Amino acid sequence: LHRCFEKEAEDHTWAQVMPYTDRLNYCSPMLNNVIYAQAIEKMVGVEVPERCQVIRVIVSELARIIDHLVCVGTNLVDLGALTMYWYTFNTREAMYQVVEKLCGSRLTTNYARIGGLSHDLYEGFEAEMREKLAMLETSIHEVVVLAARNRIFLDRTVGVGVISREDAISHGFTGPALRACGVEYDARKLHPYCGYEDYDFDIPTGEDGDTHARIMVRMAEMIQSKRIIEQALQKLPD
C-alpha cells in the first residue's frame, strides 16, 4: 500500500515521519517504528537506554507474532479452515488488547521515538503479557494438531507454490518466505540489534519452499518470539 511515504518525508522532520512507518505494514507497526528509529539513531549517534532496548524487543516480537497470526489465519480461512482461523484471530485480538492499553491504538501505534519510546510500560504489563503468551501457545498447538493430518489442508498446501532456494535468493525473498526455502537467514542472528545477541532462540527453516513450509515456519517462529519475549521480561531493567 504505497502512498508516497518517501515523498511526504521530504518536507517533514525525522520525528514527524514516525506515524508514516505505522502504515508501511499495519500488521506489525511497532516493528516498523523501531526499525525507523534505529536508522536515525545509527545515523546521528544516539545511544538508547537499556530498558528501552529491551522494551523494543518485546514490542517488536509482539508485532511479529500478530503479523504471523494474520498471515496464517487468513491463509487457513481461504483454505476453508474456519475453526483454525478463529484460533489465530482470537489470540490476535488478545494481543491487540495489550497493544491498545500500551499506546492507545491498535493498528497505528506511533510508539517508538528517536532515542527511546513515547512512554514506559503500564503497570501490570508483565503479568498480562505472560497470560497472552500462554494463550498463544495453546492456540498454536490447537492449529497444528488440526492441520497436521487434515487431508484438505495438506492437499492445498503441500507442493503448492514451490519456490527453490536459488530462486528465493535471486528474487530477494526475506523473512519466513526465505527461511521456508531452507535458507537459514535471520538478521536478528547475523546482524543483531537491540541486544538480540543476548537472547536464546532458534531460526526455524523449511525444506520444500511450498505453501505448507511457509505456514509451518511462521507457526514455529511465533514460538521463538514467545521465547524471546519471556527472556526480555525476565531481564527487563528498572
Side-chain angles (χ1 to χ4, degrees), residues 148-221:
R149 299 180 186 176
N150 185 290
R151 179 66 182 272
I152 297 172
F153 173 73
L154 296 176
D155 284 351
R156 294 180 178 182
T157 59
V158 175
V160 175
V162 177
I163 305 292
S164 70
R165 178 190 179 98
E166 293 72 26
D167 282 349
I169 294 170
S170 175
H171 289 301
F173 274 39
T174 61
L178 176 64
R179 293 187 279 273
C181 299
V183 182
E184 193 174 313
Y185 185 94
D186 190 322
R188 293 171 297 175
K189 285 278 191 184
L190 298 172
H191 309 285
Y193 54 93
C194 272
Y196 269 108
E197 63 273 18
D198 299 324
Y199 293 88
D200 181 27
F201 65 100
D202 301 321
I203 306 176
T205 57
E207 294 180 0
D208 302 321
D210 57 6
T211 300
H212 185 268
R214 287 186 284 273
I215 290 174
M216 289 306 172
V217 163
R218 283 186 171 91
M219 299 295 281
E221 283 193 6

Side-chain angles (χ1 to χ4, degrees), residues 40 44 228:
I40 306 302
V44 300
I228 293 170

Side-chain angles (χ1 to χ4, degrees), residues 15-58:
Q16 288 171 336
V17 173
M18 185 63 73
Y20 288 115
T21 65
D22 290 328
R23 292 154 176 84
L24 294 172
N25 174 9
Y26 51 69
C27 288
S28 49
M30 285 188 169
L31 194 51
N32 302 327
N33 292 168
V34 169
I35 291 167
Y36 173 72
Q38 286 179 327
I40 306 302
E41 289 155 4
K42 185 176 181 180
M43 185 167 64
V44 300
V46 172
E47 190 173 336
V48 178
E50 187 184 353
R51 179 175 174 85
C52 172
Q53 293 276 34
V54 177
I55 294 173
R56 283 183 176 185
V57 167
I58 293 171

